[in-house]
Amino acid sequence: MTARRWGAVMSAMVTPFDAAGALDLDAAQRLARWLADHGNDGLVVSATTGEASTLSDGERCDLLRAVSEAVTIPVLAGMGSNDTAHSITLTRQAQALGAAGVLLVSPYYNRPPQAGIEAHFRAVAAATQLPVMLYDVPVRTGRRISHEVLVRLLSEVPNIVALKDATGDPPAAAALLADAGPFELYSGDDSYTLPLLAVGAVGVVGTTTHWAGAEFQAMIAAFGRGDVQLAREINQRLLPSLRFVSTEDTVYSMSIKAMLRTLGLDVGECRLPLPAAPAGTQELARQVWAGLKNTGA
């Protein structure tokens, strides 16, 4: 298994807002410290779960600065966009603010061909000395990064060192590790963490890790020492959390914020177009939390 520079369990952190919808940096620092104390080795700010598309550039920088000051664990910055020049500007700002690395999602909406995707990543990586984690999430971007492009990027660009894989395709991940390794493969979908560990992943950049970081740590550690049965049992205990975090009515940021309120962490509501969580979400969060702790080791 490739060494982990950022750890095994990282949360794509939600962004706290106050009652007026403004960025709440004090709440962000409290949340970051809580996550660091509850099983997270690192954090990713201003990514999809952090509602990056609704944050201004200044808010992204303020959030990165505040969270980095609050914790000693690595903090990566989600600085990708579908505009290469804008991504370069954001990435340079992240470097100036002392980020431990950047997460770069492949360009979304405009769906460039593979040549454009590759050129985009090469240009942004060339603009920084920071280590880069690519993010392949075709359900959001509309275009999967091809195997050949990933092999070239991971093999030829020195500071592209990791991939957050949200393709739901473990066989393809195994082939990529064989052809482009060594690099750090992280599950970008919590439910695929155990399958991807089986082919060589080093950990997860998660969502349910906001409240189940300790369980993911235990599962990854059990698998690493060869206790596959225990890893399977922990994965089964995580299933209600995995079902809760994303439904037709409550997507990730909404569900996570409801769960955090259950834990006594007020992070506000989401910004539109994500609405307030529907009635019953809070009660379901309490049930999921109680069930997870009642079935814990």
Side-chain angles (χ1 to χ4, degrees):
M1 180 180 288
T2 303
R4 310 177 183 112
R5 76 183 61 221
W6 297 305
V9 177
M10 306 175 71
S11 281
M13 197 179 98
V14 296
T15 299
F17 301 119
D18 64 19
L23 183 64
D24 190 336
L25 295 177
D26 290 338
Q29 290 187 320
R30 288 193 296 271
L31 175 59
R33 287 190 289 265
W34 193 92
L35 292 171
D37 290 340
H38 290 81
N40 282 269
D41 301 311
L43 301 171
V44 180
V45 298
S46 67
T48 307
T49 305
E51 302 177 69
S53 61
T54 71
L55 298 176
S56 69
D57 290 1
E59 287 177 325
R60 288 193 192 206
C61 291
D62 290 344
L63 182 64
L64 173 59
R65 184 185 298 108
V67 171
S68 297
E69 290 173 354
V71 296
T72 57
I73 61 176
V75 180
L76 277 68
M79 293 302 188
S81 76
N82 63 339
D83 174 351
T84 304
H86 188 210
S87 298
I88 288 172
T89 297
L90 289 171
T91 297
R92 285 174 172 161
Q93 291 172 343
Q95 179 171 312
L97 290 169
V102 289
L103 176 73
L104 298 181
V105 67
S106 56
Y108 43 83
Y109 185 73
N110 40 17
R111 300 182 74 245
Q114 294 298 322
I117 294 173
E118 182 172 357
H120 171 85
F121 283 134
R122 286 182 181 272
V124 181
T128 183
Q129 297 175 349
L130 291 175
V132 172
M133 179 187 292
L134 303 182
Y135 183 19
D136 193 7
V137 56
V139 70
R140 292 186 180 274
T141 64
R143 183 87 75 185
R144 185 168 177 173
I145 309 171
S146 75
H147 176 85
E148 293 75 18
V149 166
L150 284 171
V151 168
R152 287 195 293 271
L153 291 171
L154 290 161
S155 302
E156 298 173 6
V157 183
N159 61 328
I160 295 180
V161 298
L163 172 67
K164 179 183 177 184
D165 185 342
T167 65
D169 190 351
L176 185 62
L177 284 164
D179 293 344
F183 66 92
E184 298 157 37
L185 176 68
Y186 284 86
S187 175
D189 182 332
D190 297 17
S191 63
Y192 275 88
T193 302
L194 185 55
L196 287 175
L197 288 174
V199 302
V202 301
V204 58
V205 179
T207 54
T208 61
T209 49
H210 279 79
W211 65 89
E215 285 76 15
F216 275 92
Q217 287 283 6
M219 181 175 72
I220 293 168
F223 188 88
R225 64 176 180 267
D227 193 344
V228 176
Q229 182 58 38
L230 177 57
R232 288 173 178 166
E233 292 172 1
I234 297 171
N235 188 66
Q236 290 170 359
R237 293 203 296 269
L238 288 167
L239 293 178
S241 291
L242 300 175
R243 289 191 290 266
F244 167 77
V245 78
S246 184
T247 70
E248 288 298 314
D249 298 316
T250 55
V251 299
Y252 298 91
S253 305
M254 299 161 63
S255 305
I256 294 166
K257 288 187 172 184
M259 180 63 78
L260 291 174
R261 287 191 291 272
T262 294
L263 303 180
L265 295 163
D266 186 1
V267 291
E269 296 287 357
C270 297
R271 285 177 173 172
L272 288 174
L274 297 182
T281 305
Q282 205 68 53
E283 176 56 31
L284 182 55
R286 285 191 285 269
Q287 294 172 11
V288 170
W289 173 251
L292 180 65
K293 294 307 158 182
N294 287 338
T295 58

